[in-house]
């Protein structure tokens, strides 16, 4: 039996980076989590412990910090592209670079006094909004892919959802629901048809499409809602050719109040955190090229 080395990559994960831009008295904050992974002609280090082709992961960490100073950090997709292209261009043994970034959002603290400015110039509070994400791949042959996304976006419709007409067997106890709460914590990733663009505007508009489709759809199933959310993005944003959504069903069960002599006209619910239904799917332009390993 022959034993061979399979696919491999290595890198520095979870590099915490906070970048402050001081525009006079007004400061701007970027809070990122950056992970880099490199692959290419790396067989020797795995098979013989030969490190000559290995760019240390500590060096990758330092590169993130140095580039934050020299290149700045505006849109996370652009910063990831700069890093990925640098690793491939600067290291002969590196044929592919993958850079993943999560961005944690902050808001300015309102000023305390009536005579002060409307917002503080240097005080921030961590936003309760979702986490913005991106994954960039860059190959030595010049092939580049950009995946933008978000996670931890919690949505809820208090009505406008039902679930009935489903398959049943001897283990089915679920009763049909004609008026239920529909809630989910959305993870979405979308693929840009070309590398480069106005990523900030695109992110805002895709997020708006997801929110509006969730709100506008009378839901017969969470699967249907997922598809409508993805379709809204594809039909509205020409720069996006594919959307992948992961949507756990955050169940809300009406509480039986009859033991207390009370009715419950769908007003009091128990929010169950587990187990939960997990719905996943992709929606794409039927002319979009195959993403291959770019989703990994």
């Amino acid at each position: 039996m022959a034993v061979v080395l399979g696919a491999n990559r290595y890198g520095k994960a979870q590099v915490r980076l906070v970048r402050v831009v001081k525009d006079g008295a007004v400061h701007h904050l970027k809070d990122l989590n950056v992970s880099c992974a490199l692959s290419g002609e790396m067989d020797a280090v795995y098979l013989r412990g030969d490190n000559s082709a290995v760019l240390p992961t500590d060096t990758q960490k330092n590169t993130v910090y140095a580039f934050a100073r020299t290149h700045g950090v505006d849109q996370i997709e652009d910063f990831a592209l700069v890093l990925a292209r640098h690793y491939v261009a600067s290291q002969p043994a590196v044929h592919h670079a993958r850079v993943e970034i999560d961005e944690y959002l902050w808001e300015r603290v309102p000023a305390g006094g009536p005579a002060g400015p409307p917002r503080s110039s240097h005080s921030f509070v961590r936003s309760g909004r979702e986490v913005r994400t991106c994954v960039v791949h860059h190959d030595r042959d010049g092939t580049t892919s950009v995946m933008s996304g978000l996670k931890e976006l919690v949505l809820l419709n208090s009505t406008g959802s039902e679930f009935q007409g489903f398959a049943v067997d001897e283990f089915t106890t679920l009763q049909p629901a004609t008026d239920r709460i529909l809630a989910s914590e959305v993870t979405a990733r979308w693929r840009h048809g070309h590398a480069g663009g106005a990523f900030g505007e695109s992110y805002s508009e895709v997020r708006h499409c997801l929110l509006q489709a969730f709100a506008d759809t009378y839901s017969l199933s969470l699967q249907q809602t997922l598809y409508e959310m993805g379709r809204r993005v594809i039909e509205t944003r020409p720069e996006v050719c594919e959307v992948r959504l992961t949507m756990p069903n955050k169940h809300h069960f009406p509480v039986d109040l009859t033991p207390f002599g009370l009715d419950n006209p769908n007003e009091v619910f128990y929010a169950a955190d587990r187990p939960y239904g997990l719905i996943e799917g992709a929606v794409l332009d039927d002319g979009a090229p195959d993403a291959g390993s770019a989703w990994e």
Side-chain angles (χ1 to χ4, degrees):
M1 177 181 67
V3 178
V4 297
L5 176 67
N8 58 84
R9 62 189 180 192
Y10 81 101
K12 201 68 164 181
Q14 307 282 314
V15 178
R16 294 291 289 115
L17 166 65
V18 175
R19 176 72 157 92
V20 179
V21 176
K22 300 178 180 179
D23 183 13
V26 178
H27 293 184
H28 306 276
L29 191 67
K30 283 284 187 175
D31 184 356
L32 310 182
N33 201 22
V34 183
S35 295
C36 305
L38 311 179
S39 57
E41 297 177 19
M42 302 293 172
D43 290 8
V45 65
Y46 288 93
L47 301 179
R48 299 188 299 278
D50 178 353
N51 296 320
S52 58
V54 175
L55 183 70
T57 65
D58 188 68
T59 303
Q60 296 175 43
K61 174 203 70 178
N62 293 340
T63 303
V64 170
Y65 292 134
F67 274 39
R69 180 70 181 95
T70 59
H71 291 74
V73 181
D74 185 15
Q75 302 304 316
I76 57 175
E77 293 88 349
D78 290 319
F79 189 58
L81 282 166
V82 167
L83 287 168
R85 288 167 176 163
H86 164 78
Y87 291 130
V88 172
S90 65
Q91 299 299 314
V94 174
H95 294 177
H96 182 90
R98 178 188 188 275
V99 180
E100 179 175 8
I101 301 179
D102 291 347
E103 179 178 3
Y104 308 104
L105 304 176
W106 294 76
E107 298 173 349
R108 297 188 184 278
V109 174
R119 308 290 283 184
S120 170
S121 61
H122 60 270
S123 297
F124 300 85
V125 58
R126 174 73 180 269
S127 171
R129 287 177 49 177
E130 75 282 354
V131 175
R132 181 176 171 179
T133 67
C134 80
V135 177
V136 163
H137 289 264
H138 180 66
D139 282 326
R140 181 164 292 279
D141 65 5
T143 302
T144 303
S145 65
V146 179
M147 310 288 182
S148 298
L150 56 82
K151 60 184 179 181
E152 301 176 20
L153 176 65
V154 180
L155 303 177
L156 184 149
N157 284 335
S158 58
T159 190
S161 173
E162 60 183 69
F163 187 60
Q164 53 184 328
F166 45 82
V168 300
D169 65 11
E170 65 269 30
F171 302 113
T172 301
T173 60
L174 183 69
Q175 297 300 306
T178 58
D179 184 13
R180 65 171 183 168
I181 286 179
L182 183 69
S184 185
E185 182 176 304
V186 179
T187 297
R189 291 190 294 166
W190 51 93
R191 179 160 56 104
H192 294 266
H194 53 83
F199 292 115
E201 176 188 349
S202 179
Y203 178 85
S204 297
E205 292 301 319
V206 170
R207 182 181 186 274
H208 178 74
C209 288
L210 295 172
L211 294 178
Q212 290 302 306
F214 183 86
D216 293 345
T217 301
Y218 183 91
S219 180
L220 302 176
S221 66
L222 185 53
Q223 288 92 332
Q224 176 205 7
T225 299
L226 178 152
Y227 177 76
E228 292 299 330
M229 292 168 70
R231 184 172 75 166
R232 182 75 62 93
V233 173
I234 296 298
E235 291 180 344
T236 305
R237 302 304 305 171
E239 76 276 15
V240 176
C241 60
E242 184 172 0
V243 182
R244 295 196 179 189
L245 291 156
T246 298
M247 298 181 65
N249 196 341
K250 300 177 74 70
H251 300 298
H252 290 68
F253 299 111
V255 177
D256 181 9
L257 299 178
T258 56
F260 318 117
L262 299 171
D263 65 353
N264 183 12
N266 261 10
E267 294 181 355
V268 179
F269 297 86
Y270 165 64
D273 65 342
R274 66 194 66 180
Y276 53 84
L278 182 60
I279 313 302
E280 299 177 292
V283 184
L284 63 158
D285 178 344
D286 63 3
D290 182 15
S293 61
W295 291 104
E296 298 175 1

